[in-house]
Amino acid sequence: MMNRSLFRAAVRSVQGSRTVTGRRCASSSAVFNWEDPLASAELFTEEELAIQDTARQYCQERLLPRVLDAYRNEDYDRKILEEMGEIGLLGASIEGYGCAGVSTVASGLITKEVERVDSGYRSGMSVQSSLAMTGIYEFGTEEQKQRFLPELAKGKLSGCFGLTEPNHGSDPGSMETVAREHPTKKGTYLLTGSKTWITNSPIADLALVWAKLETTGKIKGFIVERSRCPPGTFETPAIKNKSALRASITGMIQMDDCPVPAENMFPDVEGLTGPFTCLNSARLGIAFGTMGALEDCLARAREYSLERKQFKGNPLAKYQLVQKKLADAATDAAYGTLAAVQVARLKDAGKATPEMISMVKRQNCDRALVNSRILQEIFGGNAASDEYHIGRHVANLFVVQTYEGQSDIHALILGRAITGKQAFV
Amino acid sequence: MMNRSLFRAAVRSVQGSRTVTGRRCASSSAVFNWEDPLASAELFTEEELAIQDTARQYCQERLLPRVLDAYRNEDYDRKILEEMGEIGLLGASIEGYGCAGVSTVASGLITKEVERVDSGYRSGMSVQSSLAMTGIYEFGTEEQKQRFLPELAKGKLSGCFGLTEPNHGSDPGSMETVAREHPTKKGTYLLTGSKTWITNSPIADLALVWAKLETTGKIKGFIVERSRCPPGTFETPAIKNKSALRASITGMIQMDDCPVPAENMFPDVEGLTGPFTCLNSARLGIAFGTMGALEDCLARAREYSLERKQFKGNPLAKYQLVQKKLADAATDAAYGTLAAVQVARLKDAGKATPEMISMVKRQNCDRALVNSRILQEIFGGNAASDEYHIGRHVANLFVVQTYEGQSDIHALILGRAITGKQAFV
Amino acid sequence: MMNRSLFRAAVRSVQGSRTVTGRRCASSSAVFNWEDPLASAELFTEEELAIQDTARQYCQERLLPRVLDAYRNEDYDRKILEEMGEIGLLGASIEGYGCAGVSTVASGLITKEVERVDSGYRSGMSVQSSLAMTGIYEFGTEEQKQRFLPELAKGKLSGCFGLTEPNHGSDPGSMETVAREHPTKKGTYLLTGSKTWITNSPIADLALVWAKLETTGKIKGFIVERSRCPPGTFETPAIKNKSALRASITGMIQMDDCPVPAENMFPDVEGLTGPFTCLNSARLGIAFGTMGALEDCLARAREYSLERKQFKGNPLAKYQLVQKKLADAATDAAYGTLAAVQVARLKDAGKATPEMISMVKRQNCDRALVNSRILQEIFGGNAASDEYHIGRHVANLFVVQTYEGQSDIHALILGRAITGKQAFV
Amino acid sequence: MMNRSLFRAAVRSVQGSRTVTGRRCASSSAVFNWEDPLASAELFTEEELAIQDTARQYCQERLLPRVLDAYRNEDYDRKILEEMGEIGLLGASIEGYGCAGVSTVASGLITKEVERVDSGYRSGMSVQSSLAMTGIYEFGTEEQKQRFLPELAKGKLSGCFGLTEPNHGSDPGSMETVAREHPTKKGTYLLTGSKTWITNSPIADLALVWAKLETTGKIKGFIVERSRCPPGTFETPAIKNKSALRASITGMIQMDDCPVPAENMFPDVEGLTGPFTCLNSARLGIAFGTMGALEDCLARAREYSLERKQFKGNPLAKYQLVQKKLADAATDAAYGTLAAVQVARLKDAGKATPEMISMVKRQNCDRALVNSRILQEIFGGNAASDEYHIGRHVANLFVVQTYEGQSDIHALILGRAITGKQAFV
């Protein structure tokens, strides 16, 4: 439990130095903190706060300096996963197998700090943690867990998640990828099909691939190890010239009779339960993460508005139209954080439902996107310069809104839960 | 502490019958509840839930049947205050003086249940509880408290709050009402000036009036007892033909050398601290209350959409455009409730700030209004019939958005807190 | 052609006095006119401008003084139709039969002036002109036209339009009202069924009723004359306590074997072509009319913002947040007027399509509603007083958005025209 | 008048072949055309339609194939200006000097066709036509016109427009660039200062630079010829890594005692009249151009929605939520086009005002941006691929909204015109 003890140390240092007390005033003279307007920090344990501090420090010191070049050149640094692994950020909510075993809230706060820098970096981490690791942890055999989770937690192995297909974005149940039993080699499946928009696929050592069993037509999960795939059976070409999330690496997975041993299949889970469990974990992370991105937009817009002067030397911050934008964004960031925390607490208590996650994923993505765009207006033409960072967030957040359930899809999921009626046509 | 013991009994009955367990599933198989999508009930104590149940029962059984006629005829039933007093809804968060002494959350839940029926009924209660009683409780002498609070808590006395003036809506600091010392009668002040849009003024037994001391120019608070005012010195004509909040009674206060004994003045508080403390209490109540109104709109729109069939016999509920409206409203109601609860908890912990209250008052009013209007579209032309109730909520919520700080004013309060710059021109 | 000559006289008087030249500056020094920001008046003929002036004068001098009481008491003055008839406002675009025979643009400008006062007054006029008269003019026999149109044009007879049924708002094709041949009396039909939300029905002398022929199941149109209906066969109870359009009178039509002579049936038109032709005429009128209501909201909000002072004595008009609201509303009013004019011109050239009318009906209603609500915020709590008029417009415009095709229905009509796909479920 | 005769030929060919009659049906059976829903083409002359066809053909055949690479690599092809010059697109509304002398509407339609491909290409053209050429045409001496306009019209010379400074985006009146008389060389001015976000500056042969005369403090315009500037006095470094408008080239202008002969100064114009006249010309072009970009987004989203199938094989086009997005966009594109045409006609009639241009620049930018973003949602995750083009439009349109007057600035210009009150703080 190395990571956990590391966090514990962080907790003590915080308690000792009290350097962050501004966030947790217990005195009677409460002070408004624009960075946490509704004092969500009051809802966190000391350990959770310490984890957030650790994550923030790493993100601001190590990720932020890299992001501009990474984004410009679509160049993801594979070492990031190892760095994250080192301080325990990967699969953080998993118990055992070298993982930190922190609360879902703590895990969400990590996500928030990473996405405060860039949604692409958060995507890379989420795929590793919430999709690949959670899948194996929830549905894998003990042997699979032992074999893969510790190395994934360290970032030594990188994983990806192959669900979405070129023709089936919002409707994975119609997937075309099939797994058939090898005609001669017993205990081996042959996977054939294409997956697309797969974060990390070009650098993944293993891919959690969902495919329909030829015999039953039911969806099953397979851990495909790249190193064991013969040439030409498992290709992961990168998708370039993306208009967003350029600091993450994205690709396809093309499988042509790719052989996978039966012991790499998840034994029990069947149908969409498997992938949806993983997605729900990731979506809750997104609900936290987007609030980090929005808070960064707010902080940058606020700073710009205070520095930039127009007409009679007044800073933009003095204009009503600017203040309204800031107030709206601060409000939505505060509300979204509270909602994400609530669902995370419910999850740890066994009381969260997929619809709750649809709600916070959808709303937090929508509000982060809307507000980041409005904040971007404060920068005027300067928003076109990537050095102000906000254009990058805006572009990222649009894609984050569309993946793992586009906003409208989640609206219809909620609509179905509210009315009992299906409206997917 | 009659009221408190009454609540306690309610708690026990709930624990006994477990009839409301649907709201608090503790099992591992969590179920999505569209009426409380993010399970805010998990944040409440048994006592708070019992209080909410008591309030809801009263409101649905006693207020709802009266509201249509009251609204049509602008006819507020004075007995409502006594009924509310009987079950402990008035000044509920005050300790002692015959008040229930419940948590701020419980108090907010009461507010929510009343506004679920009608914002006007909630206005009437808020003025009594949050403005008149809170003012006396926070700033009154022990003698003033003893004299007025118990009767106000029972609803035997009705109170109103005179701050807003015809020419100074958003800017009370510029008020023109003055209090001057009686030229001959020592220990008496003469109040002169006009207040407008004063809920309950025409039926008020006492008015908490804010006026500038002629000598100092500082704002002071006075408890004006109608029964002690000579004819012509204290008039409270009703304002009729309101376009909303017609189930509450509203009027002016016209004072012409109205004599008030010095012992009815608040001794220590000076300036806007007094009225703003009261307003902050009321505003937090509004943050809860508007979520009640919105939830009622949602429930009614959902029901209508399930019953109303168009084209091929499909219920409206099956249409994507309808489901999106329902999903949006459910989301905003859930988020707004969580935020109000958070601020209420912070308040009880001495950690709430006025800006937090500005944020939840503003956002919850805005979102209640926007969503109620969108839900109203589901009713098509039938929305024009007052029997569907939603038009009434929409009209009410607009006014609620404007009073106790119009949305833009709170945006500028938040903008100032975020930027440190004043933008009120 | 009495009316036409009356208009001609108006034209001459305008040309003589040049009192309205502010609207039509031809000099090189163009001046921005906030009441017509994109100079739509440049698109009108002298005759059209004169007609607008006549209509405006009548509306401001005769309708405006009545509207507050009418709205408060749900009291429509039957004499208004006669007054409108006297100056040629009814069925104005019809050629012959005592009608003015003006352009569709001129007709739209009349509508705009009436709705500038109140959407209810405009509704009353539209039903007479665009629904009842247009129906008879387009589909009636020469004898029917001769019999009814001149008296309708004078407002001596009042008409209504019975299409919508209680269970079939957006889907008239499913109507349940039937017309069967009298079992014994040849040449007579018996109509049975209910129509609801019928403007003018309680005061109508004749009702244009759409019913399905029992024999064929096809929809046919009948002119039902109240005076010829035996007691109990044709009832038109008023719908009271409406939340909007209270200055117009609305009711049901309840027919129970109501006998109608065959010569009162439209001979050729069948199916929805008949009612939809009338509705399209009315909808184009609404596209103009709502811009009148919006312009009135803008003018009133502007005036209020200039008079109302807050903080340091500045008028609200000086605040950025207020100016933005005014600028948005002025823009949408100007754009909507141009679009309505374009469709009206196309209509007179035989080039308008129903989808165009869906577009301008929908957009102008939507934008009038959205902007009127935003302008209403400028009034703060004072908006609750009906003497500021804006709350009345807001309430009206919501209903106008829902009738003759709710916004979403028109969106789906447009969606079908754009994609070729039907999405009504 | 080579260009004009070229257009005339185009007109004839159109009249001969009648291949575009789909756009101008004169028959009684009007057909709805989703690409021009309100039949704006009816407002254009044959010549204007022919010019639009010529421009569209060039843009679709020559610009569209280049745009993806140009955008990816921030690589503007200097030859485009010459190509545009060849077919008469540059300075098209100027009379004489080798320019086409077409109507403002025709000029707007050219702009629309170019921006249908890319806002960056349109920016490059606008700077040449509306800023540099219009400036010289309106304010230059006859000699300046003769010397520069014909070569600019052909695209042999490229021009840029130096107004915006690093610290004065929305407030050019505070510019810091100065022009002082050469201490010894009579008839020469020395320009010193920085301009930024200058489209085309890195490739410009001449720059129209606005500077304050040291002696008077008044703003004057100078034609700076790069070839006559000594090394180090006139530098134009490119700004790279832009988040939008990457198909255009943008840079700074850094002047350090850059010598400009007095005969290159505009003799009469002084203050902001000069630059604002140019900007107004460009802004009206933007009002047209953005509608082209929006129409392209709509066409692409429509096509995608028809091809992309999800759930049960239904195309996205069949979903209500998708149809609403398409209907909204089509409406705003149609309305915006009509408004731009109206202002262009007014301009040619000498009746346009700057406020009108603020209105259409602002509204059309805003609506193009909002709708393009909503249409982008239809593409789901695929929007991240630049091959769908829509992400590029979205990114571009944000910047177009901010330049030549950010939306809020134009709101305040309109607000001032409506209220007579200044709110720039």
Side-chain angles (χ1 to χ4, degrees), chain D residues 312-328:
Chain D
K312 305 182 202 161
N314 278 318
L316 297 182
K318 204 173 158 41
Y319 297 179
Q320 294 187 341
L321 293 170
V322 169
Q323 290 203 354
K324 183 171 185 302
K325 296 180 214 286
L326 298 172
D328 286 342

Side-chain angles (χ1 to χ4, degrees), chain A residues 208-265:
Chain A
L208 183 40
V209 170
W210 302 92
K212 280 186 179 161
L213 266 198
E214 195 188 33
T215 46
T216 64
K218 296 282 173 60
I219 294 170
K220 296 290 289 180
F222 298 84
I223 306 169
V224 183
E225 297 170 85
R226 185 194 294 270
S227 61
R228 297 170 71 175
C229 299
T233 64
F234 181 87
E235 301 292 333
T236 57
I239 298 174
K240 284 293 178 186
N241 297 305
K242 286 182 296 178
S243 64
L245 294 185
R246 294 165 60 94
S248 71
I249 183 163
T250 310
M252 303 187 71
I253 301 177
Q254 295 165 340
M255 294 163 291
D256 185 5
D257 276 344
C258 174
V260 181
E263 70 260 22
N264 276 22
M265 185 171 75

Side-chain angles (χ1 to χ4, degrees), chain B residues 173-415:
Chain B
S174 305
M175 69 170 58
E176 298 169 34
T177 299
V178 292
R180 59 189 182 96
E181 291 182 50
H182 196 289
T184 58
K185 215 156 107 196
K186 215 177 143 63
T188 294
Y189 289 94
L190 297 172
L191 271 59
T192 298
S194 284
K195 304 289 182 176
T196 196
W197 292 116
I198 307 303
T199 301
N200 284 358
S201 83
I203 59 159
D205 300 304
L206 56 84
L208 183 39
V209 170
W210 303 92
K212 280 186 179 161
L213 265 198
E214 194 189 33
T215 47
T216 64
K218 295 283 174 59
I219 294 169
K220 296 290 289 181
F222 298 84
I223 305 169
V224 183
E225 297 170 86
R226 186 193 292 269
S227 61
R228 299 171 70 177
C229 299
T233 65
F234 181 85
E235 302 293 332
T236 56
I239 299 174
K240 284 293 177 185
N241 298 305
K242 288 181 295 178
S243 65
L245 292 185
R246 295 165 60 94
S248 70
I249 184 162
T250 311
M252 304 189 71
I253 301 176
Q254 294 166 341
M255 294 163 291
D256 184 7
D257 275 346
C258 174
V260 182
E263 67 261 26
N264 276 20
M265 186 172 75
F266 292 153
D268 302 320
V269 71
E270 199 171 76
L272 288 167
T273 307
F276 280 6
T277 299
C278 303
L279 284 173
N280 275 328
S281 171
R283 284 166 181 160
L284 183 49
I286 293 173
F288 277 94
T290 48
M291 295 297 97
L294 176 54
E295 286 179 8
D296 192 52
C297 293
L298 174 61
R300 292 181 186 281
R302 174 184 173 275
E303 190 186 0
Y304 184 86
S305 77
L306 285 166
E307 286 174 5
R308 179 82 174 173
K309 294 179 175 56
Q310 296 283 302
F311 306 109
K312 305 181 202 160
N314 278 317
L316 297 183
K318 205 174 156 44
Y319 297 179
Q320 294 188 340
L321 293 171
V322 169
Q323 290 203 354
K324 182 172 186 302
K325 295 180 214 285
L326 298 172
D328 286 342
T331 302
D332 275 325
Y335 273 54
T337 298
L338 291 179
V341 170
Q342 170 77 350
V343 176
R345 292 275 181 248
L346 291 168
K347 189 178 178 198
D348 282 345
K351 298 177 182 171
T353 73
E355 294 87 353
M356 292 176 184
I357 291 173
S358 283
M359 183 174 277
V360 294
K361 194 279 178 185
R362 174 177 183 254
Q363 179 78 349
N364 288 9
C365 285
D366 284 358
R367 303 313 301 166
L369 179 59
V370 164
N371 282 288
S372 66
R373 284 168 167 173
I374 291 173
L375 292 169
Q376 195 185 16
E377 296 173 7
I378 295 175
F379 293 79
N382 282 335
S385 161
D386 65 353
E387 291 175 11
Y388 287 100
H389 294 275
I390 193 153
R392 181 169 49 80
H393 278 309
V394 167
N396 284 339
L397 288 168
F398 170 73
V399 179
V400 174
Q401 188 199 37
T402 70
Y403 71 28
E404 305 198 9
Q406 199 269 331
S407 180
D408 286 346
I409 298 294
H410 286 298
L412 298 180
I413 288 170
L414 290 168

